[in-house]
């Protein structure tokens, strides 16, 4: 059987699951694990990254593939019989934001990634019928740029309004297992699936040689973690906002959420204040807490020429949204790279150049081009040209600085460096995500 035929068969099964989930949207799914067979696992294997870091067992994708059919058959049998034991997740810490703050990242074993991918492939068709259109995080066909555009459109329609910039403190580490199981069983009651979900929740964490278990949280980095987080916040925030909050408001309101980042927009200040007051109580009910400093109410009303008070700004997904002026002098909502994100990106490039300044020039240029272009691909949005040019300028300066440090005797003067840039040009800023339809250079 060809890969295309295999994917078509799996896709057909997913379509059936989605149809049943949509038809019985108010009832739990009692039987979905039977869809996961050897073909399904093979499809999950094909979709799993092969170059990721190794888990606690040290088995690579290459080693696993030596007896792929045997390993997948064994995995399927253990999964269906309940004999599968979720291995501990190896934890590493990556830099986050300012200072010495880090973000924990979990690395499952390769086999565990395959099984998580397989279960995810069965769960997505179900919960995609429930999730609201304003939820964008980790959903197929939805991106951060679409979330930003939706937020801008919502704010524009309301003339700005009052914005709650919501930040959940250590969300992925705080998801309560008991509450999650109750929420999950409202939609999925298949014993095989609920059993494996429970095992993943209880799986230990190996951190710097220490194995420990916790009663809350899902490991960041696990394949299954994003859908778990979406399921939890769909109940805690999304459904509550649509069914309980919105009908009680005096004015219009909207929300955009990307994973644990959410922005609530209100037409009237009194509505925003009421919701701001009740939000901590709502989250505390599910053992979550809002960040007291990062969660704030922002006056984002369209500026009035007669009003001396300027509207505030807020950040979302690495961008700062603010009121600007068009070329025709009209007020409109714009965005730019968040100041701390821009500084972090510049610093990361600077440190890489410093560490690798003695690499061959061609190799340096090749890697730098990828890094710089990667920055443009995400931050290259309409209105953000100034931030992109600032990033490009700092990259050029840093490269010149560290090429000069390659040798004390042969200092690279700026004229010579300018000639070098003709042969090894760094990518110029480019708008990859235009509000007007096409990518602009």
């Amino acid at each position: 059987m060809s890969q295309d035929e295999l994917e078509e068969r799996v896709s057909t099964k997913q379509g059936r699951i989605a149809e049943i989930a949509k038809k019985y949207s108010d009832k739990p799914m009692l039987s979905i694990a039977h869809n996961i067979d050897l073909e399904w696992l093979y499809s999950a294997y094909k979709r799993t990254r092969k170059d990721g870091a190794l888990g606690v067992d040290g088995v690579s994708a290459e080693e696993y593939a030596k007896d792929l059919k045997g390993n997948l058959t064994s995995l399927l049998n253990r999964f269906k019989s309940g004999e599968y034991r979720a291995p501990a997740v190896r934890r590493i810490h990556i830099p986050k934001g300012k200072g010495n703050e880090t973000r924990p990242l979990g690395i499952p074993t390769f086999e565990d990634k395959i099984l998580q991918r397989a279960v995810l492939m069965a769960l997505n068709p179900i919960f995609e019928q429930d999730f609201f259109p304003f939820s964008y995080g980790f959903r197929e066909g939805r991106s951060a740029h679409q979330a930003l555009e939706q937020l801008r459109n919502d704010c524009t329609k309301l003339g700005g309004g009052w914005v709650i910039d919501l930040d959940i403190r250590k969300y992925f580490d705080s998801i309560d297992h008991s509450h999650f199981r109750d929420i999950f069983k409202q939609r999925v009651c298949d014993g095989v699936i609920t059993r494996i979900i429970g095992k993943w929740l209880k799986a230990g964490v190996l951190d710097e040689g220490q194995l420990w278990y916790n009663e809350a949280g899902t490991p960041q980095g696990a394949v299954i973690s994003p859908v778990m987080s979406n399921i939890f916040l769909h109940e805690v925030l999304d459904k509550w906002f649509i069914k309980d909050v919105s009908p009680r408001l005096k004015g219009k309101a909207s929300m955009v959420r990307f994973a644990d980042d959410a922005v609530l927009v209100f037409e009237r200040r009194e509505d925003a204040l009421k919701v701001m007051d009740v939000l901590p109580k709502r989250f505390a009910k599910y053992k979550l807490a809002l960040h007291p400093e990062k969660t704030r109410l922002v006056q984002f009303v369209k500026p009035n020429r007669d009003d001396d008070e300027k509207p505030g700004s807020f950040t979302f997904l690495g961008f700062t949204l603010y009121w600007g002026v068009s070329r025709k002098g009209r007020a409109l909502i714009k965005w730019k790279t968040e100041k701390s994100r821009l500084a972090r990106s510049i610093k990361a490039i600077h440190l890489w150049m410093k560490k690798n300044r003695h690499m061959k020039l061609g190799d340096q240029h090749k890697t730098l081009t990828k890094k710089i272009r990667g920055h443009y691909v995400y931050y290259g949005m309409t209105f953000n040209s100034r931030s992109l040019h600032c990033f490009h300028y700092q990259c050029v300066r840093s490269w010149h600085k560290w090429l000069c440090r390659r040798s004390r005797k042969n200092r690279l003067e700026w004229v010579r460096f300018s000639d070098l840039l003709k042969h090894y040009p760094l990518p110029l800023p480019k708008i990859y995500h235009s509000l007007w339809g096409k990518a602009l250079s």
Side-chain angles (χ1 to χ4, degrees):
M1 183 187 302
S2 68
Q3 182 64 30
D4 289 341
E5 290 175 327
L6 173 66
E7 291 302 327
E8 186 176 350
R9 288 167 68 99
V10 171
S11 179
T12 300
K13 288 183 180 181
Q14 289 179 307
R16 290 173 185 163
I17 295 173
E19 287 177 10
I20 297 172
K22 187 175 182 179
K23 184 177 180 180
Y24 301 101
S25 59
D26 58 338
K27 297 179 181 179
M29 301 282 286
L30 301 178
S31 178
I32 58 173
H34 66 277
N35 292 286
I36 302 177
D37 53 18
L38 199 58
E39 290 180 355
W40 190 287
L41 278 183
Y42 184 73
S43 177
Y45 163 79
K46 296 296 288 186
R47 302 183 193 191
T48 302
R49 280 186 59 184
K50 311 298 189 295
D51 58 348
L54 303 184
V56 294
D57 62 354
V59 177
S60 66
E62 185 178 354
E63 291 177 84
Y64 196 84
K66 290 179 180 178
D67 183 19
L68 182 59
K69 185 176 181 180
N71 286 329
L72 292 182
T73 302
S74 172
L75 175 60
L76 181 64
N77 292 335
R78 284 178 284 138
F79 165 62
K80 292 291 183 73
S81 66
E83 295 178 1
Y84 181 81
R85 293 193 176 189
V89 175
R90 185 168 70 88
R91 173 169 286 182
I92 60 173
H93 297 268
I94 59 176
K96 173 190 174 184
K98 301 178 181 179
N100 297 321
E101 191 176 0
T102 61
R103 182 192 301 275
L105 186 67
I107 303 175
T109 64
F110 183 72
E111 183 175 68
D112 206 40
K113 289 178 184 178
I114 296 173
L115 186 55
Q116 287 189 27
R117 177 68 62 186
V119 173
L120 178 65
M121 288 161 56
L123 294 181
N124 271 342
I126 300 172
F127 289 99
E128 278 298 318
Q129 311 308 312
D130 301 340
F131 293 156
F132 294 109
F134 57 74
S135 170
Y136 286 88
F138 307 113
R139 295 177 62 188
E140 190 174 350
R142 291 170 171 266
S143 68
H145 302 102
Q146 291 174 332
L148 283 160
E149 289 186 29
Q150 181 64 55
L151 178 58
R152 181 179 181 273
N153 291 338
D154 290 348
C155 289
T156 300
K157 290 177 182 178
L158 295 179
W162 294 79
V163 170
I164 294 179
D165 186 2
L166 190 150
D167 188 280
I168 306 171
R169 175 180 282 180
K170 296 183 178 180
Y171 172 63
F172 287 93
D173 294 329
S174 304
I175 296 176
D176 182 72
H177 293 174
S178 178
H179 281 304
F180 177 82
R181 290 190 189 95
D182 292 340
I183 293 169
F184 187 78
K185 287 181 180 180
Q186 292 176 17
R187 206 64 176 99
V188 178
C189 271
D190 184 304
V192 177
I193 299 297
T194 55
R195 181 172 59 207
I196 193 64
I197 291 292
K199 289 181 178 181
W200 282 325
L201 289 173
K202 292 179 181 178
V205 175
L206 185 65
D207 192 351
E208 297 181 352
Q210 298 269 333
L211 181 63
W212 54 279
Y213 303 86
N214 54 19
E215 295 299 320
T218 61
Q220 296 184 53
V223 176
I224 201 71
S225 183
V227 74
M228 285 184 172
S229 67
N230 270 338
I231 292 168
F232 199 64
L233 269 188
H234 173 74
E235 179 70 27
V236 176
L237 180 61
D238 300 359
K239 282 177 64 177
W240 173 73
F241 180 78
I242 292 297
K243 295 185 176 181
D244 296 334
V245 174
S246 295
R248 292 178 170 84
L249 300 178
K250 294 182 179 180
K252 298 177 182 178
S254 66
M255 181 174 76
V256 175
R257 181 173 68 81
F258 192 97
D260 59 328
D261 291 327
V263 174
L264 286 65
V265 185
F266 301 88
E267 182 181 24
R268 302 171 67 121
R269 181 174 181 269
E270 56 194 282
D271 288 338
L273 288 172
K274 288 180 181 178
V275 175
M276 188 72 173
D277 181 58
V278 76
L279 269 173
K281 302 171 188 176
R282 173 66 182 179
F283 278 85
K285 180 181 177 181
Y286 293 89
K287 299 184 180 180
L288 296 175
L290 296 178
H291 198 293
E293 297 175 2
K294 295 181 180 179
T295 299
R296 60 197 185 101
L297 179 61
V298 180
Q299 181 181 353
F300 198 65
V301 180
K302 186 176 181 178
N304 190 328
R305 293 181 181 180
D306 299 329
D307 192 353
D308 294 334
E309 187 175 356
K310 295 182 178 180
S313 62
F314 63 95
T315 61
F316 186 58
L317 302 179
F319 288 84
T320 297
L321 281 79
Y322 64 99
W323 279 98
V325 181
S326 70
R327 292 179 181 178
K328 296 182 179 180
R330 297 176 182 174
L332 79 167
I333 298 171
K334 296 184 176 183
W335 45 47
K336 59 184 177 182
T337 308
E338 184 184 348
K339 188 176 180 180
S340 62
R341 292 286 188 97
L342 180 59
R344 192 190 312 172
S345 297
I346 292 171
K347 182 179 179 181
I349 288 285
H350 182 83
L351 292 176
W352 185 90
M353 291 177 181
K354 177 182 179 181
K355 184 178 180 180
N356 299 280
R357 62 185 182 273
H358 293 298
M359 284 176 60
K360 291 182 179 179
L361 202 56
D363 294 337
Q364 272 193 58
H365 177 258
K366 185 177 180 180
T367 303
L368 277 176
T369 296
K370 290 181 180 179
K371 289 179 176 292
I372 293 172
R373 189 168 286 135
H375 181 89
Y376 295 158
V377 167
Y378 184 77
Y379 291 103
M381 296 189 72
T382 305
F383 309 128
N384 199 32
S385 295
R386 181 175 293 182
S387 295
L388 297 181
H389 279 90
C390 176
F391 177 77
H392 177 266
Y393 173 74
Q394 293 296 338
C395 288
V396 171
R397 284 178 57 88
S398 290
W399 202 25
H400 176 245
K401 173 180 177 178
W402 292 113
L403 287 180
C404 285
R405 302 289 179 91
R406 284 161 65 105
S407 172
R408 293 182 179 180
K409 296 180 179 179
N410 300 318
R411 180 176 175 82
L412 184 64
E413 300 297 335
W414 187 261
V415 175
R416 288 177 56 206
F417 178 66
S418 297
D419 291 335
L420 182 146
L421 285 176
K422 294 177 182 178
H423 297 282
Y424 297 100
L426 295 181
L428 293 173
K430 180 179 180 180
I431 301 299
Y432 281 87
H433 309 280
S434 172
L435 289 176
W436 325 127
K438 296 182 179 179
L440 306 174
S441 297

